[in-house]
Amino acid sequence: MALLRRAALANDAQAAFHLGELYRTAEGNPAGPPAAWEWYRRAAEGGQARAALKLGMMARNGDGVPRDAATAARWLQLASDLGNAHAMFLLSYAYRNGDGVAADPQKARSLLEEAAEREYPPALQELALTVDDPQRASHLMKEATEHRRNNWNRF
């Protein structure tokens, strides 16, 4: 942890992300998720998309920080801008439901389509359930199943 901390303090975004992971998930760590927030923030501001996703999820779920839909949406937007398909998928729900952002069905659909284009299985499934063309829906479901099996640890 000391080496990760030193690297993170020297603006290594990847080290800051891993330090956040350790703080958030390590058993017996009294600091827990609240301590992870600062390291994830450093990593996200350094361009680490998964860290921005974690911040968005923590704020959305109240994991170690107060629930705040607007804060969640802001971090999910950054992760989405950095190309994270999981963040795009979650942000599509925020725009669909007006959760932390103004409701925007077109933006929600665009984010869902982008997440599906990046082969994110839940987005492919969700898209399959919303299209009018049965043939396309079937194709999307098959694709979701294949990507879930082949990329189970990618996201």
Side-chain angles (χ1 to χ4, degrees):
M1 275 187 83
L3 291 174
L4 279 175
R5 179 183 286 274
R6 188 177 317 150
L9 290 171
N11 297 321
D12 182 321
Q14 196 66 20
F17 172 75
H18 288 299
L19 198 54
E21 288 285 274
L22 286 173
Y23 274 107
R24 189 178 61 79
T25 61
E27 288 186 35
N29 180 356
W37 182 270
E38 180 59 26
W39 297 110
Y40 284 142
R41 184 191 61 76
R42 286 174 177 256
E45 289 174 352
Q48 221 287 353
R50 287 181 53 208
L53 170 66
K54 296 286 184 175
L55 290 168
M57 292 172 63
M58 287 175 74
R60 179 176 172 242
N61 299 327
D63 182 16
V65 297
R67 282 185 181 192
D68 185 333
T71 298
R74 189 177 83 241
W75 288 112
L76 290 173
Q77 183 65 61
L78 176 60
S80 179
D81 292 344
L82 292 169
N84 187 284
H86 187 165
M88 291 171 193
F89 179 69
L90 294 176
L91 194 57
S92 75
Y93 276 100
Y95 277 103
R96 186 179 78 188
N97 300 326
D99 193 17
V101 292
D104 185 340
Q106 290 176 324
K107 183 153 181 134
R109 181 58 175 227
S110 174
L111 284 161
L112 182 62
E113 292 270 0
E114 179 66 19
E117 186 67 31
R118 291 173 184 263
E119 302 174 345
Y120 186 60
L124 289 162
Q125 288 175 316
E126 179 77 19
L127 197 55
L129 295 172
T130 63
V131 297
D132 293 328
D133 178 5
Q135 189 171 10
R136 182 171 184 222
S138 176
H139 173 74
L140 287 166
M141 280 300 224
K142 182 178 178 186
E143 192 176 349
T145 302
E146 290 172 2
H147 288 300
R148 189 175 299 278
R149 188 176 333 109
N150 296 333
N151 299 310
W152 62 270
N153 63 348
R154 182 172 155 207
F155 301 99

